[in-house]
Amino acid sequence: MNADFRRDRTRLVEKLRGSGIHDLAVLHAFDAVPRHAFVPEVMQHRAYENGPLPIGDGQTISSPMVHAVSIQLAELKEGDHVLEVGTGSGFQTALLAELGTIVSSIERIEVLSVRAAKVLAELGYDAHLEVGDGGLGMPERAPFSAIIVGAAAAEPPGALFAQLTEGGRLIVPIGTRDQVLYRYVREGTGHTRERISSARFVPLIERSTP
Ligand code: SAH
C-alpha cells in the first residue's frame, strides 16, 4: 500500500462528492489532509473509510462525512475566523486551516489537545489551540464567522451565539439520546435555525456535568 494512502484518499473524496458534498474547496481539503496522521497507528489502515474511529480517552474522530457536512454548512472563505469546539484528533482543525481560514480550537482533554498540536505542527498547519470548556466559546478571540461544535450539547449553547459575526453560522448537534444537527445563522440580536439531520456525537461536557 502506498505510504500516504493516496488511492484510498482519492476514493474517499469521490465518495463525499457522491454523497452531497459539492463545495470544491471542502473536497480539495479532504484530498490534501492526511487523515491517517490523526488516528492511532493501529487504526491507520481504516483512516479513509467513512466512519468514526477511537482516538483514546473515550473520544472519537468523527466520520469524514460529518466533518464534510459541518464544514460545508459553515460556508467558509479564506481569511474567515472560525472556532472549533472539541479539537479531538485535530483532523477537522487541519481541514479548516487547509481552507485558508484562521482557526481557533478548544478541547477540554489536555492530552488530546497536545497530541493534535504536535500532528498539526508536523504537517505545517497553523491553528490557535486552547484547553478549556468550549461551551463557553473563546470570547477573547471572538467574533467568528462560523463556530463548529463537534460534540452534542443538551441545550443550545447560549454563550456561543454572542460570539458570532452578523450572518455568522453556528453548526451544532443538540440532544442527548436523540440528537439533531442544526445550523443557526445570527441575525441581529436573534438567529434563524435550520434542522440538518439526525446525528450521533459524543456529548459536550458541560460545567454542570459531573
Ligand atoms: N472533530 C473532532 C471531534 C472529536 S469528538 C475530531 O474528529 O477529531 C469531540 C471532542 O469534543 C472530544 O475530543 C471531547 O473531549 C471534546 N469536548 C467535549 N466537551 C467539550 C467541552 N465542553 N469543551 C471542549 N471540548 C469538549
Side-chain angles (χ1 to χ4, degrees), residues 59-62 67 86 88-89 107-109 112 132-134 150 204-205:
Q59 303 303 319
T60 56
I61 178 172
S62 303
H67 282 148
S89 65
E107 168 59 54
R108 55 179 279 276
I109 301 178
L112 293 182
D133 181 3
L204 183 76
I205 307 298

Side-chain angles (χ1 to χ4, degrees), residues 1-5 8 34-49 53-54 119 122:
M1 200 186 304
N2 187 325
D4 77 351
F5 301 91
D8 296 353
R35 189 169 187 261
H36 65 270
F38 293 88
V39 303
E41 211 164 335
V42 293
M43 297 284 168
Q44 289 195 345
H45 64 291
R46 296 182 54 197
Y48 297 94
E49 293 173 9
L53 291 170
V119 179
E122 279 167 6

Side-chain angles (χ1 to χ4, degrees), residues 165-181:
T165 58
E166 175 67 25
R169 287 77 61 199
L170 167 63
I171 320 301
V172 57
I174 294 178
T176 43
R177 282 257 293 265
D178 296 318
Q179 302 171 7
V180 174
L181 182 66

Side-chain angles (χ1 to χ4, degrees), residues 34-201:
R35 189 169 187 261
H36 65 270
F38 293 88
V39 303
E41 211 164 335
V42 293
M43 297 284 168
Q44 289 195 345
H45 64 291
R46 296 182 54 197
Y48 297 94
E49 293 173 9
N50 187 24
L53 291 170
I55 55 171
D57 284 81
Q59 303 303 319
T60 56
I61 178 172
S62 303
S63 75
M65 194 60 192
V66 164
H67 282 148
V69 165
S70 303
I71 297 174
Q72 181 166 272
L73 286 167
E75 293 179 353
L76 295 164
K77 54 181 191 321
E78 234 177 293
D80 278 352
H81 199 174
V82 54
L83 174 66
E84 175 187 47
V85 174
T87 313
S89 65
F91 174 61
Q92 182 174 251
T93 323
L95 293 170
L96 294 167
E98 183 68 40
L99 288 171
T101 65
I102 301 160
V103 193
S104 302
S105 184
I106 183 161
E107 168 59 54
R108 55 179 279 276
I109 301 178
E110 187 170 6
V111 293
L112 293 182
S113 180
V114 168
R115 197 182 305 147
K118 185 165 174 282
V119 179
L120 289 164
E122 279 167 6
L123 293 171
Y125 289 113
D126 192 26
H128 173 84
L129 302 192
E130 284 187 18
V131 175
D133 181 3
L136 305 176
M138 217 186 269
E140 69 284 5
R141 290 179 65 95
F144 302 98
S145 300
I147 300 176
I148 299 177
V149 184
E155 306 280 340
L160 301 183
F161 290 106
Q163 295 176 31
L164 287 172
T165 58
E166 175 67 25
R169 287 77 61 199
L170 167 63
I171 320 301
V172 57
I174 294 178
T176 43
R177 282 257 293 265
D178 296 318
Q179 302 171 7
V180 174
L181 182 66
Y182 288 104
R183 173 168 65 175
Y184 292 85
V185 178
R186 178 161 182 189
E187 283 182 8
T189 53
H191 55 257
T192 56
R193 187 180 84 166
E194 189 184 341
R195 181 190 196 281
I196 305 303
S197 63
S198 60
R200 212 164 139 211
F201 284 79

